[in-house]
Amino acid sequence: LANPVQIQQVVLNLVVNGQQAIVESGRPGRIVLRTRHESNRIFLHVEDDGPGISPDLQDRIFEPFFTTKPVGVGTGLGLSIVSGILRQHGGQIQVASTPGAGASFTASFPVSTGAAKSRQRAHEPDDRPPSSRILVAEDEPGVARLIFDVLGAEGHKVDLAVDGAEVIARIKAAEYDLVICDWRMRNLNGPELYRSLGNGNGNGHARERLLLVTSDPTILSSSEFLRETRPACLTKPFLLPELKASVAALLLKRKNGAH
């Protein structure tokens, strides 16, 4: 009964995390994956022989945007994605590590109760927003991939753009239900995109379909642009439920015709 796309993301992120740890050690390494079934739980173990994780960091590695990697290597999103997916499936993840002796991650899932639970879920209401077409304008690959994967798993069709020129070209060529744009995009920042959408770029009420994302929380209180225009905003680091809620609210607003 698990979501196969999300479980694939769990395995991928845990393996990539181990691979990056081994690269840091500067020597060849090994990643071992094991699965087991015990009582009413299914376990996935992913172990690496990299440099390990210091005890004072082990409680923080699942926080969104927390990373010990150099700039440009990691965004700190991979393990937070894993933790969030596991919680959605009624599972959990734990880490065991000794500095210098590698790390072991253990993800566990509850065993399905079978056909009875399937029938029950079939009659449960689906409160997710209907499938929509969304453009994500983000030049930080890790953040772009996070948003792409999360919204894709929700059933939306998601396109990516990495600079301002591509954003405008895509908006001119297609009708998007929502545009998610980083405040500091290359060649075109969030306010510039907002103004551009009012100058013949984009279709329909494009400005009302814009969600700006910023890593500077002070902008929300200090920006004259925001005080004047009041577009929808989301601040990094954000939790996955916050992203989903913001997207759902804007899509619902559009569905109800509130422009």
Side-chain angles (χ1 to χ4, degrees):
L1 298 178
N3 182 310
V5 175
Q6 292 183 334
I7 301 307
Q8 180 182 10
Q9 192 70 27
V10 167
V11 178
L12 176 63
N13 282 340
L14 289 176
V15 171
V16 168
N17 185 74
Q19 180 264 341
Q20 291 178 342
I22 290 170
V23 168
E24 286 181 29
S25 70
R27 56 173 174 75
R30 186 182 187 194
I31 300 174
V32 178
L33 284 79
R34 294 182 290 111
T35 58
R36 63 185 173 91
H37 176 202
E38 180 179 308
S39 184
N40 64 340
R41 309 288 290 183
I42 295 173
F43 295 86
L44 165 67
H45 302 275
V46 180
E47 304 169 358
D48 68 74
D49 58 357
I53 306 167
S54 63
D56 59 315
L57 297 180
Q58 291 181 25
D59 290 336
R60 298 197 60 196
I61 58 176
F62 299 107
E63 297 177 7
F65 294 90
F66 177 77
T67 180
T68 60
K69 299 179 176 67
V71 175
V73 175
T75 61
L77 295 170
L79 292 178
S80 69
I81 293 174
V82 169
S83 180
I85 291 174
L86 285 165
R87 286 197 302 271
Q88 291 176 20
H89 286 78
Q92 60 185 8
I93 186 166
Q94 297 176 318
V95 60
S97 178
T98 301
S104 174
F105 290 86
T106 300
S108 67
F109 305 84
V111 173
S112 167
T113 57
K117 188 171 183 180
S118 297
R119 288 193 298 270
Q120 178 184 357
R121 287 193 173 186
H123 291 90
E124 290 177 354
D126 187 355
D127 58 358
R128 294 184 307 174
S131 177
S132 302
R133 187 167 187 181
I134 299 174
L135 175 63
V136 176
E138 172 63 66
D139 54 12
E140 188 173 350
V143 178
R145 191 72 220 180
L146 167 70
I147 299 175
F148 181 92
D149 289 339
V150 169
L151 298 184
E154 292 284 295
H156 300 297
K157 176 176 173 52
V158 185
D159 294 329
L160 297 177
V162 296
D163 61 37
E166 186 178 4
V167 173
I168 295 299
R170 285 187 174 274
I171 290 176
K172 285 183 176 180
E175 177 80 12
Y176 287 100
D177 299 292
L178 180 65
V179 177
I180 302 175
C181 181
D182 186 72
W183 184 277
R184 291 190 174 91
M185 278 287 293
R186 289 199 301 265
N187 305 323
L188 186 75
N189 62 31
E192 290 170 344
L193 174 60
Y194 182 92
R195 297 185 182 101
S196 175
L197 293 176
N199 295 324
N201 294 315
N203 302 314
H205 300 271
R207 283 181 169 179
E208 286 76 15
R209 303 174 193 177
L210 179 64
L211 173 61
L212 296 178
V213 181
T214 176
S215 57
D216 183 1
T218 63
I219 286 178
L220 300 182
S221 58
S222 64
S223 171
E224 184 177 346
F225 162 77
L226 289 182
R227 287 196 297 270
E228 293 177 352
T229 60
R230 304 183 69 178
C233 288
L234 185 63
T235 305
K236 301 176 188 174
F238 52 77
L239 300 176
L240 301 189
E242 292 174 331
L243 170 65
K244 294 179 182 179
S246 296
V247 168
L250 287 173
L251 292 176
L252 181 62
K253 181 179 179 181
R254 178 179 184 273
K255 179 182 177 181
N256 293 337
H259 297 298

